[in-house]
Amino acid sequence: MNLNNDKGSMSTASSSVTVSDQFPAGLRVLVVDDDPTCLRILEKMLGTCLYEVTKCNRAEIALDMLRTNKNGYDIVISDVHMPDMDGFKLLEQVGLEMDLPVIMMSADDSKQVVMKGVTHGACDYLIKPVRIEALKNIWQHVVRKRKNEWKDLEQSGSVEEGDRQPKPSEEADYSSSANEGNWRTSKRRKDEEEEMEERDDTSTLKKPRVVWSVELHQQFVSAVNQLGIDKAVPKKILELMNVPGLTRENVASHLQKYRLYLRRLSGVSPHQGNSFISSHSQEPPYGSLSSLSGLDFQTLAATGQIPAQSLATLQAAGLARSAAKPGLPMPLVDQRNIFSFDNQKLRFGEGQPQHMSSGKQMNLLHGIPTTMDSKQLVNLHHSAQSLGSLNMQASAHGNPSGQSSPLLMQMAQPQSRGQILTETSGGQVPRLPTSVGHPILSNGAAGAMLARNGIGENSRGTGYNSVSQTSSVLNFPLNHSAELPGNSFPLGSTPGISAGMSTLTTKGGFQEEINSDIKGSGGFMPSYDIFNDLQQHKPHNWELQNVGFAFDASQHSNSLQASVDVTPSVLVNQGYSSSPRNVQNSSVSAMGKPIFSVGEGSEHGNALNVGQHLNSLLVDNSTRVKSERVTDTSCQPTLLPQHFGQEDLMSAILKQQQDGLGPAENDFEFDGYSLDNIPV
Amino acid sequence: MNSNQLQHQVLYMRRSLFDQGYLDSEQLIQLEDLQDDANPNFVEEVVSLFYSDSARLIQNIEQTLSNRPVDFSRLDDILHQFKGSCSSIGAKKVKDACSQFREYCNAGNAEGCSRSFQLIKQEYETLRRRLESYFQMVKQAKAA
């Protein structure tokens, strides 16, 4: 699916709500009814409501029309009784294939029939004769659906990367078909529920969320390891961790997610696993990753920003990956490595900017929950590389934000940035075959992949694209959530990379902020790719804006500089690692705008959804460990991601974030960067 | 008749249609509201559409009723469609006759169905005549 899909129908100009000012005018309605009288009347009524109406008197024809023009309609109104196909069947089909809201109508108002409509998923049921008043408000169903999809994305984003879209959405426009299904249908969000709630901008609640920073997660993991994964119970983990303010509940939910993550790693779904493997076989995704990492690390190391330890960790991660390679789904062990961060050697430090040995590359990815397909990894990797190169280049400008911006921008750009990236990087980063443009991005999974791959994964140009694609990005968050626990195990969410980054930041002197940011890492990773793309492409204005915005938020003078220069990958991938949180955020936000919106700004990391995380990163200056407030609202607008075109949404989201960022406090010491300087 | 008289005539005819239960006032008004410069005769257009399409339905009912054994479920289907159409233009009496038919149909009463069907046809034709006169009067009043 094309992320960009049509932005045409609705402009998403408005800042918070992604609907055009004229909305609901122009809403594209497909009305299906075998009764010509009724059809004519509806057509006229809908026209009076300023909707764009398409009539159809046969269900089969309607389905064809919907299929050939996937993004051509916003809502379907269908009669229940039709000679060629039962209206409920059409309802189901549309829901499955296009995930558009469907309104049923009938002269029959008996309870059973209405109930049938409800159970089959109709978003409304109108009794004939239909009054124009009833039609005036049908746009609410479109908005609601998008909103829900968005939320879903966000939630699942962090955990899993499945790509979806689209989603919905649709809907799924934003997610590639593969992902779409994943995040959309994935209900594993259960554990994300809390996150969801928090993210929900409409809900007022927000109980304080614990931000699972890298360190915190590390502590958690080591506690778990100490106890043994089987025996690890929240209470004991809590005791071992000995973190004031942390409740058993926090640990319990984090543990749940962690378990899921582990399960995923060890039993990578065939789809993912295969892709992962295949990507490996094609060429070491890690390789690219490592190159990126190498780049990043080098730079980082050079600047002294990144502590050797961090690099080492990353390296180790990467290495571990390579070891695990081919055909190996990220083993738990590796995973642990990443999580533990501590036993890795720093290898990246010396890696050539371009390429790290493939072994190294693997590291980064290693340990990252491989929720993403190999392709995704590749993409991430690729992205990472690109980012890295870009960052490097950008660093020249000395404007971290600048780098971020491009990255962000890239993210915004839909697709195929990959190629550009390659070019941009000046060939520094070898073009890694991008496994998949789309899949990766698609929700969560993509996110995860991206994150991981960002570093060195061989991401083909397309990879970037995927990333850049809004949908991808968006999806990412969603998928991530699914995969990775909402808390965004720092590591978990961004496989390897995050971990690495976390380490880096922690050790390096990246302030905690970074770590915190990393938390959201899941978000970063994808953003990483996005950045690459951004860098490559001329950032859109809004993107720039956003980027700047994000950057500003995180001002992190030193780190930024370093990070920025250092490794785009680092920055990007990890999103947080090098750059100040803001930067990361930027990327994050850039990435999945829609996603971001969810988590906008405020909260850091936890967002299960990467997107969310991203948001928080961007906006969030708050610390990680403290409870974060996830502002769903900020991003919420995602209303009609699909139809409104990614860019619109992104802009909207970014814009929101921007607004939100302003006041964001910076826990980190970074000085504000202004994105203005970012060379685009 | 002068313009004024024509106008009165129109109003009178309209009132009768409502009072005598031939037409549902609300629905007619809804349809009239949809008339605009682009579609000045929208109501008439829709009514024509109704009659041409429902002719097909009437034929189907006729045929199904004459088959032995009587396929009541198919009859119910057709009637459902017909009923929906009627409600679109607010053809009250015809619609009520359809409801009656459906009851017999559900009871499996072919005889009752036949009788009801006669009533449907009767109301259907009566309404057609009344509406034709009405629209004609409307046009005359407009022209005047």
Side-chain angles (χ1 to χ4, degrees):
Chain A
M1 266 282 181
N2 194 336
L3 282 179
N4 284 339
N5 52 22
D6 73 80
K7 349 302 163 103
S9 45
M10 307 254 240
S11 55
T12 45
S14 2
S15 45
S16 48
V17 177
T18 50
V19 287
S20 78
D21 293 336
Q22 294 140 14
F23 184 80
L27 192 74
R28 297 159 309 167
V29 185
L30 176 65
V31 60
V32 190
D33 195 337
D34 63 313
D35 180 352
T37 312
C38 184
L39 205 58
R40 179 77 185 99
I41 294 174
L42 280 172
E43 181 189 37
K44 198 73 180 66
M45 283 181 171
L46 291 165
T48 302
C49 296
L50 301 180
Y51 297 152
E52 209 181 281
V53 189
T54 308
K55 285 194 297 189
C56 190
N57 64 354
R58 296 267 319 277
E60 289 292 356
I61 298 175
L63 271 176
D64 275 345
M65 288 165 81
L66 287 165
R67 282 172 189 141
T68 54
N69 191 1
K70 285 233 166 188
N71 301 319
Y73 305 98
D74 298 308
I75 189 166
V76 178
I77 302 180
S78 171
D79 188 34
V80 166
H81 275 81
M82 287 188 288
D84 65 329
M85 186 195 286
D86 180 26
F88 293 118
K89 180 142 178 279
L90 175 67
L91 161 64
E92 277 176 354
Q93 287 296 114
V94 173
L96 282 170
E97 293 183 35
M98 299 105 201
D99 195 34
L100 290 174
V102 181
I103 295 177
M104 299 306 291
M105 47 172 193
S106 176
D108 193 345
D109 63 348
S110 64
K111 200 166 74 170
Q112 303 98 289
V113 184
V114 178
M115 179 62 85
K116 204 170 168 197
V118 171
T119 55
H120 281 70
C123 63
D124 204 351
Y125 191 103
L126 305 175
I127 307 295
K128 286 185 180 179
V130 179
R131 294 267 185 268
I132 194 170
E133 291 78 32
L135 296 176
K136 281 208 165 100
N137 289 327
I138 61 172
W139 60 266
Q140 64 175 286
H141 302 295
V142 178
V143 170
R144 190 178 297 114
K145 201 167 181 83
R146 295 256 181 277
K147 185 175 181 245
N148 290 338
E149 284 174 349
W150 205 232
K151 273 212 239 178
D152 283 350
L153 275 178
E154 296 178 3
Q155 292 176 8
S156 53
S158 58
V159 171
E160 89 178 321
E161 31 212 352
D163 144 28
R164 119 113 217 189
Q165 238 166 283
K167 69 54 128 98
S169 218
E170 252 113 351
E171 189 257 357
D173 288 351
Y174 42 99
S175 57
S176 61
S177 47
N179 291 338
E180 235 180 305
N182 286 354
W183 62 264
R184 215 173 335 173
T185 55
S186 165
K187 289 314 174 206
R188 352 174 184 187
R189 299 259 186 112
K190 288 204 192 162
D191 47 24
E192 325 251 4
E193 308 266 299
E194 22 177 2
E195 253 133 352
M196 278 171 59
E197 288 171 49
E198 291 197 69
R199 272 194 280 254
D200 189 330
D201 55 346
T202 51
S203 74
T204 29
L205 90 166
K206 280 279 183 165
K207 43 183 186 178
R209 289 195 71 177
V210 171
V211 173
W212 282 88
S213 67
V214 172
E215 293 108 271
L216 197 62
H217 181 72
Q218 254 182 289
Q219 279 181 279
F220 169 85
V221 174
S222 47
V224 169
N225 290 343
Q226 222 175 304
L227 296 164
I229 190 68
D230 294 329
K231 296 219 179 81
V233 286
K235 182 151 179 262
K236 295 214 177 110
I237 298 173
L238 185 65
E239 282 168 17
L240 277 175
M241 283 177 75
N242 194 23
V243 171
L246 194 66
T247 69
R248 193 200 140 283
E249 254 172 41
N250 298 137
V251 174
S253 76
H254 193 69
L255 177 66
Q256 199 181 10
K257 296 176 190 148
Y258 183 63
R259 284 220 178 95
L260 277 176
Y261 163 75
L262 294 183
R263 210 175 302 142
R264 243 181 10 151
L265 285 187
S266 54
V268 173
S269 71
H271 175 60
Q272 290 167 349
N274 294 339
S275 38
F276 180 78
I277 294 176
S278 54
S279 64
H280 262 300
S281 34
Q282 308 161 2
E283 56 181 302
Y286 293 114
S288 12
L289 186 61
S290 31
S291 357
L292 265 180
S293 323
L295 266 178
D296 296 340
F297 287 116
Q298 270 188 318
T299 320
L300 284 172
T303 54
Q305 305 289 340
I306 303 181
Q309 263 176 307
S310 313
L311 286 175
T313 308
L314 282 173
Q315 188 104 29
L319 286 172
R321 235 319 197 241
S322 16
K325 260 202 238 212
L328 258 190
M330 304 274 260
L332 268 178
V333 173
D334 294 325
Q335 186 181 4
R336 301 273 171 92
N337 289 341
I338 303 243
F339 282 99
S340 22
F341 298 120
D342 25 79
N343 358 11
Q344 323 286 343
K345 282 185 355 171
L346 171 58
R347 293 220 279 174
F348 285 105
E350 72 231 63
Q352 310 96 30
Q354 307 286 330
H355 278 284
M356 296 283 278
S357 50
S358 11
K360 289 190 189 175
Q361 306 182 339
M362 293 253 307
N363 296 347
L364 285 179
L365 289 180
H366 207 59
I368 297 180
T370 8
T371 46
M372 301 194 286
D373 292 332
S374 51
K375 286 200 282 192
Q376 294 176 341
L377 281 173
V378 172
N379 291 334
L380 281 180
H381 186 78
H382 190 60
S383 320
Q385 291 186 344
S386 313
L387 283 175
S389 344
L390 291 173
N391 287 337
M392 307 279 286
Q393 296 167 354
S395 52
H397 297 281
N399 196 332
S401 43
Q403 293 183 355
S404 315
S405 330
L407 287 179
L408 283 178
M409 304 251 246
Q410 295 199 341
M411 291 209 310
Q413 314 241 342
Q415 351 210 322
S416 357
R417 297 289 182 235
Q419 294 121 13
I420 302 189
L421 272 178
T422 311
E423 295 159 10
T424 330
S425 42
Q428 294 175 15
V429 177
R431 236 225 189 114
L432 294 176
T434 41
S435 42
V436 178
H438 296 291
I440 299 197
L441 293 181
S442 27
N443 307 324
M449 290 285 292
L450 288 176
R452 293 191 263 221
N453 289 324
I455 302 225
E457 250 330 338
N458 50 356
S459 41
R460 293 182 301 199
T462 45
Y464 279 118
N465 297 332
S466 354
V467 176
S468 46
Q469 291 177 355
T470 326
S471 53
S472 308
V473 175
L474 292 178
N475 293 329
F476 177 73
L478 287 180
N479 294 331
H480 274 280
S481 3
E483 309 266 33
L484 301 171
N487 282 331
S488 62
F489 287 102
L491 298 178
S493 43
T494 48
I497 301 197
S498 349
M501 296 304 290
S502 308
T503 312
L504 282 179
T505 43
T506 327
K507 315 288 169 103
F510 279 89
Q511 288 61 29
E512 311 281 305
E513 302 99 62
I514 297 197
N515 291 332
S516 337
D517 294 335
I518 300 191
K519 273 197 301 193
S521 58
F524 283 117
M525 296 306 249
S527 45
Y528 176 86
D529 294 326
I530 300 183
F531 283 120
N532 288 334
D533 287 340
L534 287 177
Q535 296 185 347
Q536 307 226 341
H537 300 282
K538 203 166 182 7
H540 290 187
N541 292 341
W542 62 264
E543 293 173 0
L544 275 175
Q545 275 182 337
N546 296 323
V547 173
F549 179 66
F551 283 103
D552 287 333
S554 49
Q555 339 213 302
H556 191 76
S557 49
N558 293 346
S559 313
L560 277 179
Q561 281 297 343
S563 46
V564 173
D565 298 326
V566 176
T567 44
S569 50
V570 167
L571 273 181
V572 179
N573 297 325
Q574 318 262 330
Y576 29 78
S577 50
S578 45
S579 52
R581 200 132 34 158
N582 297 334
V583 174
Q584 295 175 345
N585 290 332
S586 317
S587 29
V588 172
S589 42
M591 273 207 323
K593 218 82 198 104
I595 302 184
F596 285 97
S597 24
V598 175
E600 201 171 41
S602 47
E603 310 327 356
H604 184 74
N606 294 320
L608 281 176
N609 307 321
V610 174
Q612 176 144 78
H613 178 73
L614 291 177
N615 289 328
S616 33
L617 285 180
L618 267 179
V619 182
D620 163 334
N621 299 310
S622 48
T623 44
R624 315 297 101 91
V625 194
K626 346 196 244 215
S627 38
E628 302 182 321
R629 152 183 82 85
V630 177
T631 34
D632 298 324
T633 44
S634 48
C635 305
Q636 274 298 239
T638 63
L639 295 183
L640 305 162
Q642 297 173 6
H643 295 301
F644 287 109
Q646 298 290 331
E647 283 136 11
D648 289 336
L649 286 175
M650 293 282 278
S651 347
I653 298 182
L654 282 176
K655 216 160 145 203
Q656 285 188 345
Q657 294 189 343
Q658 251 180 349
D659 300 335
L661 274 187
E665 1 140 40
N666 231 316
D667 296 331
F668 305 137
E669 301 102 64
F670 295 104
D671 308 336
Y673 280 98
S674 68
L675 284 180
D676 301 342
N677 307 332
I678 300 176
V680 176
Chain B
M1 278 197 263
N2 66 14
S3 166
N4 232 8
Q5 285 171 307
L6 287 169
Q7 302 256 4
H8 274 290
Q9 194 63 10
V10 168
L11 285 173
Y12 173 76
M13 288 173 89
R14 194 182 156 85
R15 186 87 253 155
S16 307
L17 282 168
F18 296 155
D19 291 346
Q20 291 165 14
Y22 283 99
L23 268 193
D24 178 59
S25 62
E26 259 187 66
Q27 192 61 22
L28 182 67
I29 290 169
Q30 284 257 324
L31 295 180
E32 283 171 345
D33 282 348
L34 294 173
Q35 276 184 164
D36 52 22
D37 292 341
N39 305 87
N41 301 312
F42 181 71
V43 185
E44 199 181 339
E45 183 194 327
V46 170
V47 170
S48 301
L49 205 48
F50 165 77
Y51 273 98
S52 59
D53 183 61
S54 51
R56 175 182 57 90
L57 291 175
I58 298 249
Q59 242 185 340
N60 286 348
I61 298 171
E62 196 101 59
Q63 196 165 27
T64 314
L65 262 181
S66 62
N67 287 345
R68 290 290 176 273
V70 174
D71 186 350
F72 289 108
S73 91
R74 168 145 171 78
L75 276 177
D76 189 67
D77 261 358
I78 306 169
L79 260 300
H80 176 86
Q81 289 180 56
F82 191 31
K83 208 176 153 194
S85 263
C86 289
S87 61
S88 294
I89 66 163
K92 254 211 254 174
K93 280 197 168 182
V94 186
K95 189 173 160 205
D96 291 342
C98 285
S99 298
Q100 199 187 73
F101 184 110
R102 277 182 105 187
E103 276 178 29
Y104 283 121
C105 199
N106 292 337
N109 185 343
E111 174 59 32
C113 287
S114 282
R115 282 202 312 270
S116 294
F117 185 51
Q118 298 311 313
L119 182 59
I120 289 174
K121 282 194 284 188
Q122 206 176 314
E123 297 295 350
Y124 180 78
E125 292 304 326
T126 305
L127 179 64
R128 193 212 294 263
R129 285 193 308 272
R130 295 285 290 262
L131 284 174
E132 276 171 359
S133 309
Y134 173 73
F135 289 131
Q136 208 164 19
M137 188 61 59
V138 168
K139 283 204 186 88
Q140 281 180 6
K142 226 195 279 190

